[in-house]
Structures are given as structure tokens and as C-alpha cells.
């Protein structure tokens, strides 16, 4: 299985000379495992807000990056990073107030039951830590993930990330369940269907002699194709796992930090208090920081048996950056912006769907939108090739998104949280042009 929206190195001759040379240098220096986006890779040298710029100074509208969650190179975040870097940056085995101040503030956004936070550098590390804690607390080794999930790249977590491709085999004790797809289960209770699949996985575990450890899900199911509604559908599945002695780990690396427009975390839309929550990308607005938040009673056994140390997790610079990101989310009212602009964006895509039958379903929460493209609304056959043409057609007009889902037919729309209604209107107008060309067979 190839990566969704991946550049094909066999087409290098079509690139400009400078980019050909860079692609060849990447191959020579970085090896064969790395991938680039788009049929024509994007070469960027600068970012600001919702814009990326190429060497010629041409602007690209970024409708994809949740990493720069409060906007590329936000001046307040950059200043906090530079100021702390001028004073001190070291590991967490010395006393320093910055990590404590940040931990206290961050935990204030969580339910009171979640009282501890541990810091890492990446979401992969955060999920790996949650994996270890779940095993220590429950004594179990069985984990449930969704059919096309992505949770990270450590050995254990890559084996829980089937979206990495057929070459990445599931780990021992890892069980897959279908994502909660209301589009292909119309007029049914998607929460009950998902819970039934989880119960079936638990039954298979028991038959295999495997004790449950946890259900691990990205609370917006982004790699599976973005499944957000109805709010609350996760509750029954979580109850089933807990009844079986397992935990619920909410992966908030993609939906977290206000993106869904309903509080800070995706799990809040479901009225749940997870046992652990993992955080990543948007936490540092591009600075590599992540974390795992847990109920104290869940973390207790792990802490008794093992010590934890991460050289860079929670360092003073990261703590300063994390504080600055929270400042921006609060001061610029970015959760409210995600709700308002997200609704405007969804309404605009729904209007396009009246004219373009290829748009089969629109699923969203705040500024996280999945738009499923189909060849026939009756059969719901995935429009995989057309989706690739649309993603690359947008890129040709300097608008950047990507795709998701097992059939790579879901437009994955996930801009920085500073995205405005004017930005959304530009995206919608460009999407309308490209979808029209693809439908007419006139796309380049």
C-alpha cells in the first residue's frame, strides 16, 4: 500500500531542475523510507499565519496543517521560544518552575479526574507511554484500534497503526474494529454498532486468552476518514471496554487544542472522561513537544515499578512554547473561531454538494472537515482517482490539503486555527473550480 497523496519519484523528470536536484539529494542523504506530498512536491521557505511561501515568494493557502495550530511562526510563540532559549534549556532532572507552571495550567483544561501529566517530544512517544502505562495498570496486553488508525511510529505503536500500510503488521494482542461510519450505516445507531464491534473484539481476545488493556482511538477518527457525529457515540464502546477491565485512551494529537470548536479536546464532545489522553503536534505550534495526561490511580503502578525520563520532554524551552500556545488560543479566541469558521466551511461545502454529485458526505467538527467523494451517491463507490486529482489540482492553484480513509477518497481539511471566513471562501471557490474541471475531464 502506498502512502495517500504521495509523490512518485518515477515522475522526477517532470520537475523543475532545482526541485529535481533536491529530490535526488533527499534520496541520497535521507534514504528510501521518506515520502513527499503531491504529484508536484511543494518547496517552501517561509510561513506566516495560514500561508506558506515558496522560494519565489508565491503564497500557498495552508488548509491542512494542524501542526502550526495557532498559525505558522506566530510572533508570540516565537518570542517565548527565543526568550527562554537565551536563558536556559536543560533536562527535567533539575528543579525548574517552567515545567511545573505549564503542567498546572495545562491540567486546568482537563476534568479534575485527570491529575497527572508526563511530557514527551512526539505524539508517538506519548502513545507509547500510554501503552506501557495501560499494560502496567491492567496487567493486560490486548489493545483495540480502528481499521485504518494512525497513532505513531515507535515499534509498539506502529503495530497499532494499520494506516502505515500492508508492510506494517499488527502487533501481537492488537485487534482492529471498523471505524464508526454513519455514512455507510444510515438510519442506524452508529454508537451501538461501534460498541458491538468492540465487544466482538473483546470476545475474540478472551477466546485467544488475551487480557484487555485498552481501547485506543483518535477522537475524530482522522485517518479512518473523519467521523465526528453524533456527539456521544463513543460512550457505549468505552463502557464495554471498562466492564472488561480495560482502559480508554483518547488520542488527541490531531483533534486536540480547540480544533473541534467544542472545548479543548475531542473527547469532550462525547461526554467522557478518559483514563489517559495523549497530546502532540499542535501543543507546540511546530516545536516538538507532546504529553500524556492520566488519572493518578492509573499511573500509580507504573510509577512504583519504573522510573520515567525523557531528556527533552518538558524542557524549559518547550514549557515556554506550550504556555505561549495556550496564551494565543485564549487571547485570540481560537476555539470560538474554530466553531464559527468551521460551520461556515461546512455550509460552503454543503452548497457545493448541491452542484457536484461527487461530494457524497461531509463530516466535521470545528476546523476538522472530512469530505467523502464518491463516483455514485447510490452505490457510494469511492472516487479514489478523482480525489487524488482534486488534491493535486488544488495544489496546482497553491491551496494545500490532503486525503484520508482506507480508499483515499476523503478530502482531509484541517487548517491552522487562525483560518478566517475569507480564507475559507478562497478555499471554497478554488475547490469549486477544481471539482468542476475533474468532473468535466479537463483537469491537468
Amino acid at each position: 500500500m502506498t502512502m495517500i497523496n504521495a509523490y512518485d519519484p518515477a515522475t522526477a523528470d517532470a520537475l523543475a531542475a532545482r526541485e529535481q536536484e533536491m529530490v535526488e539529494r533527499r534520496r541520497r542523504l535521507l534514504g528510501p523510507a521518506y515520502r513527499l506530498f503531491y504529484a508536484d512536491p511543494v518547496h517552501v521557505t517561509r510561513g506566516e499565519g495560514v500561508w506558506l511561501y515558496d522560494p519565489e515568494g508565491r503564497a500557498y493557502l495552508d488548509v491542512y496543517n494542524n501542526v502550526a495550530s495557532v498559525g505558522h511562526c506566530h510572533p508570540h510563540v516565537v518570542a517565548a521560544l527565543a526568550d527562554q532559549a537565551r536563558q536556559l534549556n536543560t533536562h527535567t532532572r533539575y528543579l525548574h518552575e517552567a515545567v511545573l507552571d505549564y503542567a498546572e495550567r495545562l491540567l486546568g483544561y482537563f476534568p479534575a479526574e485527570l491529575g497527572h501529566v508526563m511530557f514527551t517530544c512526539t505524539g508517538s512517544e506519548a502513545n507509547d507511554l500510554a501503552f506501557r502505562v495501560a499494560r502496567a495498570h491492567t496487567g493486560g496486553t490486548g489493545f483495540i484500534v480502528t481499521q485504518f488508525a494512525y497513532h505513531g511510529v515507535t515499534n509498539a505503536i506502529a503495530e497499532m497503526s494499520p494506516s502505515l500500510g500492508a508492510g506494517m503488521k499488527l502487533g501481537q494482542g492488537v485487534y482492529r474494529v471498523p471505524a464508526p461510519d454513519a455514512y455507510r450505516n444510515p438510519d442506524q445507531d452508529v454508537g451501538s454498532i461501534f460498541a458491538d464491534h468492540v465487544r466482538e473484539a473483546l470476545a475474540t481476545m478472551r477466546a485467544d486468552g488475551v487480557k484487555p488493556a485498552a481501547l485506543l482511538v483518535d477522537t475524530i477518527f482522522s485517518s479512518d476518514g473523519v467521523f465526528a457525529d453524533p456527539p456521544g457515540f463513543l460512550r457505549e464502546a468505552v463502557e464495554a471496554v471498562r466492564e472488561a477491565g480495560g482502559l480508554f485512551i483518547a488520542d488527541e494529537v490531531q483533534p486536540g487544542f480547540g480544533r473541534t470548536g467544542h472545548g479543548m479536546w475531542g473527547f469532550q464532545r462525547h461526554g467522557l472522561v478518559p483514563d489517559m489522553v495523549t497530546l502532540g503536534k499542535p501543543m507546540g505550534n511546530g516545536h516538538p513537544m507532546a504529553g500524556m495526561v492520566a488519572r493518578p490511580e492509573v499511573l500509580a503502578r507504573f510509577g512504583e515499578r519504573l522510573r520515567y525520563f525523557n531528556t527533552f520532554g518538558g524542557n524549559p524551552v518547550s514549557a515556554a512554547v506550550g504556555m505561549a500556545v495556550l496564551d494565543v488560543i485564549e487571547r485570540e479566541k481560537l476555539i470560538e473561531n474554530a466553531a464559527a469558521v468551521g460551520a461556515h466551511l461546512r455550509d460552503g461545502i454543503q452548497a457545493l454538494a448541491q452542484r457536484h454529485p461527487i461530494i457524497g458526505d461531509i463530516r466535521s467538527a470545528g476546523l476538522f472537515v472530512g469530505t467523502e467523494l464518491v463516483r455514485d451517491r447510490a452505490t457510494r463507490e469511492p472516487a479514489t482517482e478523482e480525489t487524488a486529482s482534486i488534491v493535486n489540482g488544488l495544489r496546482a492553484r497553491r491551496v494545500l490539503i490532503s486525503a484520508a480513509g482506507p480508499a483515499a477518497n476523503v478530502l482531509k481539511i484541517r487548517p491552522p486555527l487562525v483560518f478566517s471566513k475569507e480564507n475559507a471562501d478562497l478555499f471554497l471557490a478554488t475547490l469549486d473550480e477544481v471539482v468542476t474541471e475533474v468532473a468535466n475531464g479537463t483537469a491537468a
Side-chain angles (χ1 to χ4, degrees):
M1 181 188 298
T2 58
M3 186 186 85
I4 291 172
N5 189 29
Y7 164 69
D8 181 359
T11 64
D13 289 347
L15 299 180
R18 176 181 56 192
E19 281 66 40
Q20 279 192 49
E21 195 265 340
M22 290 183 72
V23 167
E24 170 55 24
R25 286 184 71 200
R26 280 176 62 97
R27 184 202 63 75
R28 187 174 70 253
L29 298 171
L30 305 183
Y34 283 88
R35 301 291 186 273
L36 289 163
F37 269 168
Y38 306 111
D40 180 9
V42 179
H43 179 186
V44 294
T45 58
R46 184 171 69 87
E48 182 178 353
V50 300
W51 302 99
L52 291 167
Y53 296 86
D54 69 14
E56 282 71 42
R58 293 174 297 200
Y60 293 71
L61 181 64
D62 187 351
V63 197
Y64 183 70
N65 270 299
N66 73 320
V67 179
S69 57
V70 300
H72 292 280
C73 303
H74 193 290
H76 181 63
V77 178
V78 172
L81 185 152
D83 289 347
Q84 183 58 53
R86 275 191 289 266
Q87 298 175 49
L88 173 71
N89 199 28
T90 186
H91 57 72
T92 52
R93 281 179 166 166
Y94 301 128
L95 288 173
H96 193 273
E97 287 186 341
V99 68
L100 305 178
D101 292 343
Y102 179 58
E104 191 169 53
R105 186 173 177 189
L106 181 66
L107 288 170
Y109 291 97
F110 286 91
E113 296 92 331
L114 295 162
H116 290 326
V117 57
M118 300 173 74
F119 293 109
T120 67
C121 301
T122 68
S124 296
E125 288 181 317
N127 278 322
D128 193 83
L129 180 59
F131 163 83
R132 295 171 62 197
V133 171
R135 287 169 58 117
H137 177 76
T138 64
T141 58
F143 288 81
I144 301 171
V145 299
T146 50
Q147 199 77 29
F148 205 65
Y150 173 74
H151 295 292
V153 296
T154 68
N155 188 62
I157 301 304
E159 291 179 347
M160 295 185 196
S161 299
S163 67
L164 287 173
M168 190 69 249
K169 303 299 183 184
L170 289 183
Q172 187 174 5
V174 179
Y175 297 77
R176 289 196 298 179
V177 295
D181 185 351
Y183 181 50
R184 285 178 168 76
N185 295 280
D187 304 318
Q188 298 183 58
D189 185 335
V190 69
S192 293
I193 293 172
F194 186 61
D196 286 344
H197 288 307
V198 168
R199 292 189 189 97
E200 290 170 10
L202 291 166
T204 304
M205 277 190 205
R206 286 193 295 272
D208 292 344
V210 175
K211 184 176 180 180
L215 168 68
L216 169 62
V217 297
D218 162 2
T219 57
I220 198 73
F221 298 89
S222 53
S223 294
D224 287 287
V226 185
F227 297 105
D229 291 319
F233 73 72
L234 270 175
R235 292 183 64 87
E236 189 178 343
V238 170
E239 289 169 2
V241 168
R242 285 175 170 163
E243 287 171 5
L247 303 176
F248 169 47
I249 305 170
D251 184 335
E252 293 286 339
V253 171
Q254 297 201 55
F257 290 91
R259 175 157 296 279
T260 66
H262 182 93
M264 281 286 273
W265 318 114
F267 68 78
Q268 290 174 290
R269 300 180 67 252
H270 294 281
L272 290 166
V273 178
D275 298 295
M276 286 180 279
V277 181
T278 54
L279 312 173
K281 296 177 176 71
M283 193 174 187
N285 203 49
H287 180 77
M289 59 185 298
M292 189 274 286
V293 177
R295 294 175 184 259
E297 65 271 22
V298 167
L299 197 53
R301 183 172 296 180
F302 178 84
E304 290 167 3
R305 297 179 176 181
L306 296 166
R307 65 179 182 271
Y308 172 76
F309 176 60
N310 187 308
T311 300
F312 298 110
N315 70 76
V317 169
S318 292
V321 168
M323 287 286 253
V325 169
L326 297 178
D327 289 342
V328 176
I329 290 172
E330 292 177 5
R331 293 173 188 173
E332 299 186 14
K333 301 186 184 306
L334 294 186
I335 298 176
E336 295 88 340
N337 189 67
V341 178
H344 181 76
L345 189 56
R346 181 186 180 105
D347 289 346
I349 298 173
Q350 285 176 332
L352 293 181
Q354 301 303 309
R355 302 198 307 278
H356 298 296
I358 194 173
I359 298 176
D361 195 32
I362 304 157
R363 306 185 284 266
S364 70
L367 278 173
F368 212 133
V369 183
T371 302
E372 181 155 355
L373 305 184
V374 294
R375 288 179 175 159
D376 185 304
R377 284 182 177 174
T379 65
R380 301 182 183 182
E381 178 189 356
T384 301
E385 293 178 6
E386 294 88 341
T387 303
S389 294
I390 289 167
V391 168
N392 283 288
L394 288 166
R395 178 261 174 268
R397 290 167 171 79
R398 300 199 295 276
V399 173
L400 306 179
I401 66 166
S402 192
N409 70 313
V410 180
L411 300 179
K412 190 174 183 181
I413 302 161
R414 190 188 55 179
L417 299 181
V418 292
F419 209 66
S420 68
K421 289 183 178 179
E422 292 74 20
N423 298 145
D425 288 341
L426 173 58
F427 166 70
L428 291 165
T430 311
L431 179 62
D432 190 14
E433 292 176 9
V434 173
V435 172
T436 299
E437 284 192 358
V438 170
N440 293 338
T442 57

